[in-house]
Amino acid sequence: MLKAKILFVGPCESGKTVLANFLTESSDITEYNPTQGVRILEFENPHITSNTKGTGCEFELWDCGGDPKFESCWPALMKDSHGVVIVFNADIPSHLKEIEMWYSCFVQQQFLQDTQCLLIAHHKPGSGSDKGNPSLPTPLNKLKLVHSNLEDDPEDIRLEFIKYLKSIINSVSESRDREEMSIIT
């Protein structure tokens, strides 16, 4: 069975935990409580299998606290990660600046491909925000950007997340196949 580790990172109060719980079908959260360090959610998704072997896939979703005081823990969190989801609150202008730092630390410094990264512009209930694309600086404007609004269209973000997980599993599977071939030859 293939296993993939996905990090959920981004600024404080961007909605990472609410999204993580929704996408993994975990418990609902009714009040804001900042994540201290990291929460690890393990789940399987029946819609995702490895293309080559047809085996199931397990995921670890690491919901990382957005407070900079946890920065000393980040190298340990990043170890062996297969993908990074950067969540930001589209209604808070400072988040657009902050996500550049998250991208630099968690994607570029880990030498992950842009295809292993997903940007989620999260709209909190009642924000009434439009889904216009925020002006993202280079290199963020090359990343896949999806909007999430769990009040208006929750299934849209679930479908986008499943597509993302499938691409991560394909990457993990191809990497494992290359590794196996290098042992054989």
Side-chain angles (χ1 to χ4, degrees), residues 7-19:
L7 304 180
F8 259 45
V9 301
C12 291
E13 295 189 56
S14 56
K16 298 178 295 292
T17 297
V18 170
L19 271 172

Side-chain angles (χ1 to χ4, degrees), residues 6 80 94 96 122 154 172:
I6 311 290
D80 300 328
S94 64
L96 285 175
H122 184 62
V172 170

Side-chain angles (χ1 to χ4, degrees), residues 2 51 82 113 115-116 165-178:
L2 285 179
N51 357 349
H82 300 102
Q113 302 297 312
T115 55
Q116 293 171 276
L165 291 178
K166 285 179 179 179
S167 73
I168 293 297
I169 284 301
N170 287 340
S171 170
V172 170
S173 180
E174 288 169 9
S175 175
R176 189 169 78 176
D177 290 349
R178 278 193 304 275

Side-chain angles (χ1 to χ4, degrees), residues 118-130:
L118 178 66
L119 266 182
I120 299 180
H122 184 62
H123 301 275
K124 293 190 175 180
S127 66
S129 288
D130 67 278

Side-chain angles (χ1 to χ4, degrees), residues 17 26 28 30 36 78-79 96 118 163:
T17 297
S26 298
D28 288 332
T30 53
Q36 300 300 307
M78 292 183 243
K79 185 175 175 17
L96 285 175
L118 178 66
K163 283 187 220 170

Side-chain angles (χ1 to χ4, degrees), residues 45-66:
N45 190 310
H47 303 291
I48 301 168
T49 57
S50 162
N51 357 349
T52 54
K53 317 263 188 308
T55 58
C57 303
E58 285 182 0
F59 296 94
E60 286 182 356
L61 194 154
W62 290 46
D63 175 15
C64 305

